[in-house]
């Protein structure tokens, strides 16, 4: 009888340990699943961050090109304004000259 009780107790302990082992294995699987999800999320964030960095660099380069184009355009505008003032001066001079020629021709 004692042996039977001992075997029965041992079986009961073995069952309890097996249930505990199963529960622990389930927890390990849950933790592994959580870790895999976290890995996927971190990978997505990394890729997004890398994409953002690349986009930022592209915008920086584009901004540099646009700044240079603006400088060139402003220089051309200043040159055009200078040439326009010069031509306006010539027009005034030619108008005065034409006015004098017209007066002289009418006076004759």
């Amino acid at each position: 009888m004692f042996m039977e009780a001992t075997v029965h107790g041992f079986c009961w302990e073995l069952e309890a340990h097996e249930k505990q082992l199963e529960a622990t294995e389930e927890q390990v699987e849950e933790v592994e699943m959580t870790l895999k999800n976290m890995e996927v999320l971190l990978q997505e964030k990394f890729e997004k961050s890398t994409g953002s960095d690349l986009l930022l660099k592209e915008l920086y380069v584009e901004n540099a090109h646009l700044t240079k184009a603006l400088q060139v355009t402003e220089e051309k505008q200043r040159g055009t304004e200078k040439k326009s003032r010069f031509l306006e001066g010539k027009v005034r001079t030619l108008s005065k000259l034409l006015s004098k020629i017209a007066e002289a021709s009418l006076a004759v």
Side-chain angles (χ1 to χ4, degrees):
M1 179 86 171
F2 175 73
M3 187 126 179
E4 193 175 298
T6 304
V7 170
H8 181 66
F10 181 71
C11 286
W12 183 80
E13 278 185 42
L14 185 59
E15 254 183 61
H17 286 300
E18 285 177 351
K19 285 182 181 180
Q20 187 177 10
L21 181 61
E22 286 177 15
T24 303
E25 286 174 349
E26 287 177 9
Q27 287 177 340
V28 167
E29 288 175 8
E30 288 176 11
V31 168
E32 286 176 344
M33 183 82 82
T34 302
L35 285 174
K36 285 181 184 178
N37 289 337
M38 290 297 291
E39 180 182 13
V40 168
L41 288 173
L42 288 173
Q43 183 64 31
E44 288 174 356
K45 285 186 177 186
F46 175 75
E47 290 170 1
K48 197 177 218 182
S49 171
T50 302
S52 296
D53 288 347
L54 181 59
L55 181 59
L56 186 61
K57 287 176 186 175
E58 289 174 359
L59 288 173
Y60 180 80
V61 169
E62 183 178 353
N63 186 48
H65 289 297
L66 290 172
T67 301
K68 181 63 178 170
L70 178 61
Q71 289 173 346
V72 168
T73 303
E74 287 174 341
E75 287 174 20
K76 285 181 180 179
Q77 181 180 2
R78 283 190 293 273
T80 302
E81 289 171 351
K82 184 177 179 181
K83 188 173 184 178
S84 177
R85 285 190 301 273
F86 174 73
L87 291 174
E88 286 172 356
K90 276 190 163 187
V91 166
R92 279 191 300 274
T93 303
L94 289 173
S95 291
K96 288 178 185 177
L97 183 60
L98 186 60
S99 178
K100 287 180 181 181
I101 292 173
E103 284 177 17
S105 68
L106 290 176
V108 173

